[in-house]
Amino acid sequence: ACVVSGVMASLTKLKSLVVMSAAVAATTAGRTLLRWRTAASSSGASAFVSAGAGAGTASIAQRHLRAAGPTDGRQSGATLAASQAEASLAAAICAPLLAGAALGAVGRALAARRRPPLQQRVARVATKAEGDVEAETEVPTGPPSDISAIDFRVGQIVSCQQHPDSDKLLIEMIDVGEGEPRQICSGISAYYAPEAIVGKRVIIVANLKERKIGGTPSNGMVLCATKGDAEERQLALVEPPAGAALGERVIIELEGQVHGEPEAPNKVEKKKLYLKVCGDFKTNAEGVVCYKTSPFNTTAGPCTAKSILDGIVS
């Protein structure tokens, strides 16, 4: 009994030292977890430590009880007391070790989640080094261009008829993605039969003030390309590329200027903004519609009048 008491006293002192070390380790770990701000990870680590320490205690106690065998009460009590003391000491020693291992795993998991894989980081650096267009694209700066005051839109003719009072005019109903089609009058009857253009995709000027043509309201203008004079004159509708969506705005980019927002119809008329730019509309040698030398672009490509090369657009 005296021997056991001595052993217990020594173990108690050693346990106190170990518990103090474990407390310091736990405090440091707690501060680290606070920096990570991950309460879930902290709870997982605590559960892992408790489970590991409990398993160690039970294992040691069972081992000592099996080794003790059948003895008298005093020996059995002393042995059990020593086993419990050893188990408590083992739990105290294991706790900081298990906590350190758990915290290390949590830290590695958080770092892996926050930092992309090495292959991705290398690919990004390589992309930037190669001058990737998307990575190096700069947002245009400068004043809005004059042409951007005009609102060109992709449309589709859903119906067409001859004007009742004019042999030169056609009345088209054009879907430009506004819910209801627009009615526009065009002087193209000499070049197209009404049924021939139903279903055709076109480009319209969408922010002209509504006016009457031949007594019929017209809300916009259909762009056409022309070439030649009088009897030799050729005409073709300006067409968007097949992939352009109905209602999409046509963009004309000019160096040193931005493509700004279109002006209201009243201002376009009052300031004569359309007349200011329309004299520079044309097709180039490939039939691409341009303002000066800048193409009329959509997300699917440029607008064209392929049968009219080096022509005039109006």
Side-chain angles (χ1 to χ4, degrees):
C2 294
V3 172
V4 171
S5 299
V7 170
M8 290 290 292
S10 299
L11 290 176
T12 300
K13 292 180 181 180
L14 181 57
K15 179 180 177 181
S16 299
L17 293 175
V18 172
V19 169
M20 291 178 63
S21 300
V24 172
T27 301
T28 304
R31 291 174 180 173
T32 303
L33 285 176
L34 285 176
R35 287 199 300 269
W36 288 339
R37 297 177 181 177
T38 310
S41 297
S42 177
S43 299
S46 298
F48 182 66
V49 170
S50 298
T57 301
S59 176
I60 292 171
Q62 289 175 3
R63 187 172 67 248
H64 277 274
L65 287 173
R66 285 196 302 266
T71 58
D72 60 23
R74 287 180 300 171
Q75 184 180 1
S76 177
T79 302
L80 180 59
S83 297
Q84 291 175 344
E86 183 182 354
S88 299
L89 177 60
I93 294 174
C94 289
L97 298 178
L98 291 173
L103 293 177
V106 171
R108 287 192 294 273
L110 289 175
R113 185 174 61 182
R114 293 174 180 173
R115 188 171 178 82
L118 178 61
Q119 294 88 341
Q120 292 184 12
R121 300 198 301 273
V122 171
R124 289 176 185 173
V125 173
T127 298
K128 186 173 182 180
E130 292 171 4
D132 180 73
V133 174
E134 183 176 356
E136 299 297 332
T137 298
E138 295 182 359
V139 178
T141 57
S145 62
D146 292 336
I147 187 65
S148 66
I150 310 303
D151 193 11
F152 300 99
R153 298 280 174 172
V154 175
Q156 184 173 31
I157 300 174
V158 295
S159 67
C160 182
Q161 63 181 3
Q162 186 71 46
H163 193 287
D165 300 322
S166 174
D167 295 336
K168 296 181 179 180
L169 294 175
L170 296 180
I171 304 174
E172 305 109 357
M173 299 300 290
I174 302 178
D175 181 5
V176 288
E178 296 175 324
E180 295 184 359
R182 288 192 181 211
Q183 179 173 283
I184 297 178
C185 296
S186 304
I188 59 175
S189 179
Y191 303 95
Y192 292 102
E195 61 275 9
I197 61 174
V198 174
K200 278 191 172 292
R201 292 160 62 84
V202 294
I203 300 297
I204 74 163
V205 184
N207 63 337
L208 297 179
K209 189 174 181 179
E210 183 176 319
R211 63 193 182 105
K212 289 188 176 182
I213 300 178
T216 301
S218 180
N219 188 18
M221 183 174 69
V222 176
L223 284 186
C224 297
T226 61
K227 189 175 184 180
D229 296 320
E231 296 180 358
E232 297 181 356
R233 190 182 189 200
Q234 304 171 44
L235 180 144
L237 296 170
V238 172
E239 299 183 41
L246 295 182
E248 179 179 342
R249 190 181 181 200
V250 176
I251 303 298
I252 301 99
E253 296 181 344
L254 300 178
E255 186 177 356
Q257 300 179 57
V258 298
H259 197 82
E261 295 298 317
E263 297 290 354
N266 285 338
K267 185 172 182 179
V268 171
E269 181 180 33
K270 183 177 181 180
K271 298 292 184 179
K272 302 185 184 303
L273 299 179
Y274 181 76
L275 294 176
K276 185 177 180 180
V277 296
C278 68
D280 290 310
F281 296 171
K282 59 185 178 181
T283 58
N284 62 17
E286 288 76 38
V288 175
V289 177
C290 298
Y291 169 65
K292 299 181 179 179
T293 59
S294 298
F296 279 48
N297 271 324
T298 70
T299 55
C303 304
T304 59
K306 294 181 179 179
S307 63
I308 307 295
L309 308 182
D310 295 317
I312 297 171
V313 175
S314 61

